[in-house]
Amino acid sequence: MALANQKGGVGKTTTAINLAAGLAEMGLKVLLVDIDPQGNTSTGLGVRPRDRKRTSYDLIVDDAALQDVVIDTALPEVMIIPANADLSSADLDIVSNEKRSYLLHDALHQPAMDAYGFDYILIDCPPALSLLTVNALVACDSVLVPLQCEFFALEGLSQLMLTIRDVRRSANPALRIEGVVLTMHDRRNKLTAQVEADARANMGDLVLKTTIPRNVRISEAPSHALPVLHYDPSSRGAAAYRALAKEIADRRKTHSVSEA
């Protein structure tokens, strides 16, 4: 599952980290793939820069072996392929490769992946509709779109939807939208209510029932290199991400049954 939105500051990385933690709490084994050159998912899980000896750059650009790039995190059942600033040049480095849109797909679908037994692979995309993001969309089964409850939130969504449509037509016909999750949700704010109403009116059941609140504990957790579920397990933010993990796992079960 790719977490994508070309707009920055929407809670994409925070959602990737905490969704992984929530799924792990349910006994599921998760791999996080950080393909954002900022490397915030890696930092947020306590992977120090000096420990990122091989990264997603090496996996995508240099065809590194999985066992060289998949590393443990402090969270049980959660592993990561970290990222660093090397990815900033990835688009230029792969643009001349005739398989440039399939490099991440091929890396994550190699037989060596089976030995890890992951239940979920979450790909944290950069805040841009770049070749890296296209690689994630080609590699994944579905896309989760974090959408902040702010003015102009819906305007930027149309370009992402067009990109998803293009990827379906050209490279990944089975790609589906897992859902849109509303972040930075403030029940006291009229604008939040309006954005939520507009989103649900325009996208219907694609908008998940779970919303992620504005919560100081969510904001504090990354500075401690922890998901909010571990930093303050009883906080509203932790409860929301647990609910999101359950909703997504339930939707996945329903989707699997309908496919069968």
Side-chain angles (χ1 to χ4, degrees):
M1 183 191 306
L3 286 88
N5 190 328
Q6 75 271 27
K7 190 177 186 303
V10 300
K12 179 175 52 60
T13 294
T14 299
T15 297
I17 291 170
N18 286 288
L19 177 56
L23 292 168
E25 275 193 357
M26 297 167 64
L28 299 166
K29 191 171 184 181
V30 183
L31 173 66
L32 271 166
V33 183
D34 189 354
I35 61 166
D36 185 342
Q38 297 174 90
N40 289 338
T41 297
S42 308
T43 302
L45 283 173
V47 182
R48 297 169 297 184
R50 68 172 178 266
D51 294 329
R52 304 175 204 178
K53 294 180 174 64
R54 305 297 295 275
T55 68
S56 54
Y57 176 91
D58 300 291
L59 183 71
I60 295 168
V61 179
D62 293 332
D63 197 24
L66 277 173
Q67 61 266 29
D68 292 336
V69 295
V70 176
I71 61 174
D72 291 318
T73 72
L75 305 185
E77 304 301 320
V78 178
M79 301 183 82
I80 190 169
I81 299 176
N84 60 22
D86 290 349
L87 277 173
S88 299
S89 66
D91 277 17
L92 289 174
D93 294 338
I94 66 175
V95 70
S96 60
N97 188 321
E98 62 181 17
K99 296 191 70 178
R100 57 185 173 271
S101 297
Y102 294 85
L103 298 174
L104 184 59
H105 171 279
D106 292 351
L108 296 180
H109 287 77
Q110 58 184 285
M113 183 63 82
D114 296 340
Y116 289 97
F118 293 118
D119 297 294
Y120 281 85
I121 298 175
L122 306 180
I123 308 171
D124 186 25
C125 298
L129 295 178
S130 60
L131 257 178
L132 285 173
T133 298
V134 170
N135 262 266
L137 297 179
V138 172
C140 72
D141 301 311
S142 65
V143 188
L144 180 65
V145 184
L147 186 73
Q148 81 282 23
C149 292
E150 295 179 0
F151 197 59
F152 293 139
L154 290 172
E155 287 194 359
L157 205 55
S158 59
Q159 189 57 50
L160 175 60
M161 296 302 181
L162 287 172
T163 301
I164 291 171
R165 185 188 68 183
D166 290 344
V167 170
R168 276 183 183 144
R169 288 175 173 173
S170 61
N172 187 0
L175 178 62
R176 62 189 176 83
I177 299 173
E178 188 75 32
V180 175
V181 57
L182 299 174
T183 61
M184 306 175 196
H185 191 277
D186 185 347
R187 291 174 297 181
R188 303 162 298 177
N189 189 316
K190 289 183 180 179
L191 178 59
T192 291
Q194 186 61 56
V195 171
E196 180 172 6
D198 289 349
R200 295 192 187 280
N202 281 285
M203 292 178 285
D205 290 341
L206 281 180
V207 182
L208 301 182
K209 294 175 183 176
T210 305
T211 60
I212 307 301
R214 282 195 181 275
N215 179 251
V216 67
R217 295 307 197 193
I218 293 176
S219 302
E220 290 172 350
S223 65
H224 297 269
L226 290 170
V228 70
L229 282 79
H230 291 234
Y231 175 65
D232 188 348
S234 61
S235 65
R236 285 176 57 234
Y241 276 116
R242 284 193 188 94
L244 178 65
K246 184 178 185 306
E247 183 174 359
I248 284 178
D250 288 347
R251 286 169 74 104
R252 183 58 63 98
K253 287 176 189 173
T254 302
H255 183 74
S256 298
V257 169
S258 66
E259 281 188 333

